[in-house]
């Protein structure tokens, strides 16, 4: 009997130890997160470089254009912005829709185009049935001229095989994802390429947001009833309104010129741009903010000074740059229905001329239609023409009268009025290594943690084995005794 009691005590002790181990390890098992959302991000894709060359080349003699705030990166890659969608960390299912679009036109004859393709609302979908890129499409067949319109047609299959997207968080970046044209993509491209054609790889970066925890709304507070004080009969009337409105909030959006940005970052200048003092990158334009100034509603006169700096550099030789141009603290002036964009200009032009000039009138625009609305005085994509002074500031790259990127700005005449939001490019991506040629792209950020279950199993197995050995020994001892 004594041995039997010792045996029971030892078994109970070992069982308790196993339970303690499991209790310690179990909290480290990550709970499956609820489905979340995609909020912010960008898609960079050049479609197919030979197609772009064909469109703008001597055969098609066409062009391409951007819509909805889309931008270019390095001249040959399109950037689509403001990702929205859903993400399930348990299954890895991802849907991300992007804003902006691109149009292609070529083979003009009698005012009509034999090539006329519009792509917009790109959507990346990845899940159990594979991955693809979809878009709204309007295209004309090259042989028949028949126009086809499709909503969310699958353009390409994405090479995400073998890539585990489960358990991600934060910013998810997929670099150099292989793309292969689908049958519906071939129709969208007017049958210029057959299904199965490899297109350019794409890169996508999206911000994954966890599902918000449900909150219980507090009951509305009951405002105390108050009796307004009596108004004296001789209370003086309010003073007349001041004619000029002072403001201290605003933003100016301007891309300078798309071809200039492409030149700076392209294969010739091989440069970049840097933002400072509050300037921001909107993808297709730069934003300078905040602002201060005044507006006269009686005459339409406006003076608005914005804050920030954009510096363009390129043509590097050693530590020196042949192109080094900064546009700082731009301002807008409007008088008599005519507007002027000014900025401080410093640096060196492509011709090597150094300059440091304040308040250079860079461009002119028609401001006759400017009217306050909703607490804002807002201009949207006003045509802007380069001035003589502006042509000199750019070192003669463009003659006076050249159409620059359109100008947009907004100033808050009512401090409570909200400024137009920037396109959402998502969080700044960290550098990621290039993907291998095949078959899977590189995924960065939001990696999955290793599971503790193997260690739990090992530990539990060890204790169980120890229990069995100890019990066996005691039983044998009991038999011997």
């Amino acid at each position: 009997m004594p041995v039997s009691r010792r045996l029971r005590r030892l078994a109970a002790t070992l069982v308790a130890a196993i339970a303690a181990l499991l209790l310690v390890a179990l909290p480290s098992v990550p709970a499956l997160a609820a489905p979340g959302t995609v909020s912010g991000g960008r898609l960079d894709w050049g479609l197919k470089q030979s197609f772009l060359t064909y469109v703008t080349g001597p055969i098609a003699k066409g062009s391409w254009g951007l819509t909805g705030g889309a931008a270019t990166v390095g001249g040959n890659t399109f950037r689509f912005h403001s990702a929205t969608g859903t993400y399930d960390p348990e299954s890895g299912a991802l849907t991300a829709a992007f804003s902006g679009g691109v149009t292609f036109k070529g083979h003009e004859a009698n005012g009509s185009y034999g090539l006329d393709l519009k792509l917009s609302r790109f959507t990346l979908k990845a899940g159990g049935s594979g991955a693809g890129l979809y878009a709204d499409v309007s295209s004309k067949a090259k042989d028949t001229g028949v126009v086809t319109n499709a909503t969310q047609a699958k353009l390409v299959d994405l090479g995400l095989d073998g890539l585990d997207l489960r358990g991600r968080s934060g910013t998810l970046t997929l670099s150099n994802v292989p793309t292969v044209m689908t049958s519906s993509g071939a129709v969208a491209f007017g049958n210029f390429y057959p299904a199965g054609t490899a297109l350019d790889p794409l890169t996508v970066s999206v911000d994954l947001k966890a599902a918000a925890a449900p909150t219980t709304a507090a009951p509305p507070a009951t405002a105390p009833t108050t009796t307004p004080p009596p108004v004296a009969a001789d209370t003086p009337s309010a003073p007349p309104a001041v004619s000029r409105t002072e403001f201290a909030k605003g933003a100016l959006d301007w891309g300078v010129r798309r071809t200039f940005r492409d030149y700076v970052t392209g294969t010739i200048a091989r440069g970049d741009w840097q933002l400072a003092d509050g300037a921001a990158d909107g993808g297709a334009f730069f934003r300078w903010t905040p602002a201060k100034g005044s507006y006269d509603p009686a005459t339409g006169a406006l003076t608005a000074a914005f804050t920030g700096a954009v510096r363009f550099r390129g043509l590097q030789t050693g530590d020196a740059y042949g192109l080094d141009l900064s546009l700082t603290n731009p301002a807008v002036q409007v008088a008599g229905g005519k507007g002027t964009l000014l900025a401080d200009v410093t640096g060196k032009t492509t011709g090597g001329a150094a300059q440091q000039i304040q308040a250079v009138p860079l461009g002119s625009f028609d401001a006759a239609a400017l009217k306050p609305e909703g607490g804002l005085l807002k201009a949207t994509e006003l045509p802007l023409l380069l001035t003589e002074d502006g042509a000199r500031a750019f070192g003669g790259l463009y003659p006076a009268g050249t159409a620059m990127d359109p100008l947009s700005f907004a100033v808050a005449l009512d401090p409570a009025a909200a400024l137009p939001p920037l396109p959402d490019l998502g969080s700044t991506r960290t550098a990621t290594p290039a993907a291998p040629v095949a078959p899977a792209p590189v995924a960065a950020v939001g990696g999955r943690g290793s599971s503790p279950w193997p260690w739990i199993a090992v530990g539990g197995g060890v204790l169980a084995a120890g229990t069995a050995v100890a019990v066996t020994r005691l039983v044998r001892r009991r038999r011997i005794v």
Side-chain angles (χ1 to χ4, degrees):
M1 292 301 293
V3 174
S4 177
R5 285 195 297 272
R6 289 181 59 198
L7 178 63
R8 287 197 296 270
R9 284 199 300 269
L10 178 59
T13 301
L14 291 173
V15 169
I18 294 174
L21 174 63
L22 292 175
L23 288 174
V24 170
L26 279 174
S28 66
V29 179
L32 293 177
T37 61
V38 174
S39 180
R42 68 195 79 172
L43 166 69
D44 294 343
W45 190 35
L47 281 73
K48 189 172 179 64
Q49 292 306 305
S50 60
F51 178 71
L52 303 186
T53 302
Y54 169 79
V55 169
T56 58
I59 299 178
K61 296 181 180 179
S63 62
W64 52 262
L66 301 172
T67 61
T72 52
V73 183
N76 295 320
T77 300
F78 304 114
R79 171 165 290 174
F80 308 99
H81 59 92
S82 302
T84 59
T86 59
Y87 171 68
D88 185 352
E90 181 176 357
S91 66
L94 171 68
T95 299
F98 300 84
S99 297
V102 59
T103 64
F104 302 92
K105 292 185 177 182
H107 296 293
E108 182 180 8
N110 301 321
S112 179
Y113 293 91
L115 166 63
D116 193 344
L117 172 64
K118 301 179 179 67
L119 302 171
S120 62
R121 218 160 58 90
F122 289 89
T123 303
L124 184 150
K125 296 181 181 180
S129 59
L133 184 67
Y134 301 73
D136 291 351
V137 178
S138 175
S139 66
K140 180 185 290 187
K142 66 175 181 177
D143 297 326
T144 64
V146 175
V147 176
T148 301
N149 294 295
T151 300
Q152 292 299 287
K154 188 177 185 181
L155 299 182
V156 294
D157 289 314
L158 302 179
L160 294 178
D161 294 343
L163 187 64
D164 190 353
L165 296 181
R166 293 176 296 172
R168 305 284 174 173
S169 62
T171 301
L172 172 64
T173 299
L174 305 173
S175 300
N176 296 331
V177 179
T179 65
V180 176
M181 181 170 282
T182 63
S183 56
S184 57
V187 173
F189 276 79
N191 295 312
F192 275 85
Y193 303 100
T197 300
L199 302 186
D200 287 358
L202 61 80
T203 294
V204 63
S205 178
V206 294
D207 288 349
L208 307 178
K209 307 290 186 182
T215 57
T216 303
T222 303
T225 303
T226 58
T227 302
V231 179
D234 58 350
T235 300
S237 59
V242 179
S243 61
R244 294 189 68 89
T245 301
E246 305 288 332
F247 54 82
K249 185 169 73 171
L252 181 143
D253 297 337
W254 186 42
V256 184
R257 183 175 166 89
R258 181 184 60 77
T259 55
F260 178 70
R261 301 195 311 270
D262 293 344
Y263 166 75
V264 170
T265 59
T267 57
I268 298 177
R270 299 181 182 275
D272 60 8
W273 58 70
Q274 299 174 338
L275 308 176
D277 301 332
D281 188 349
F285 55 80
F286 306 105
R287 170 165 286 191
W288 286 266
T289 188
K292 62 180 179 180
S294 63
Y295 171 68
D296 187 344
T299 64
L302 170 69
T303 299
F306 302 86
T307 306
V310 179
R311 181 185 183 186
F312 300 93
R313 299 186 305 176
L315 304 174
Q316 184 177 11
T317 302
D319 294 332
Y321 291 89
L323 166 65
D324 191 344
L325 178 67
S326 294
L327 303 177
T328 306
N329 299 335
V332 169
Q333 294 180 355
V334 173
K338 296 181 179 180
T340 304
L341 172 67
L342 308 95
D344 298 342
V345 179
T346 59
K348 184 168 55 176
T349 68
T350 55
Q355 53 185 339
Q356 187 170 355
I357 315 170
Q358 291 187 334
V360 178
L362 298 177
S364 60
F365 59 93
D366 184 357
L370 281 180
K371 301 294 181 184
E373 183 177 354
L376 294 175
L377 182 67
K378 183 171 67 173
T380 303
E381 297 190 349
L382 295 176
L384 183 73
L385 299 180
L386 192 65
T387 64
E388 292 282 357
D389 291 327
R392 284 190 289 271
F394 281 91
L397 283 175
Y398 311 104
T402 297
M404 306 300 283
D405 273 12
L407 178 68
S408 299
F409 62 85
V411 295
L413 305 180
D414 178 355
L419 299 175
L422 271 172
D424 192 341
L425 300 179
S427 301
T428 301
R429 291 186 288 126
T430 56
T432 57
V437 174
V442 170
V445 188
R448 304 178 68 197
S450 59
S451 172
W453 282 110
W455 299 106
I456 295 174
V458 170
V462 170
L463 286 176
T467 302
V469 170
V471 170
T472 301
R473 288 180 177 176
L474 285 173
V475 169
R476 286 178 178 175
R477 181 180 176 184
R478 182 179 182 186
R479 288 175 179 173
I480 295 171
V481 173

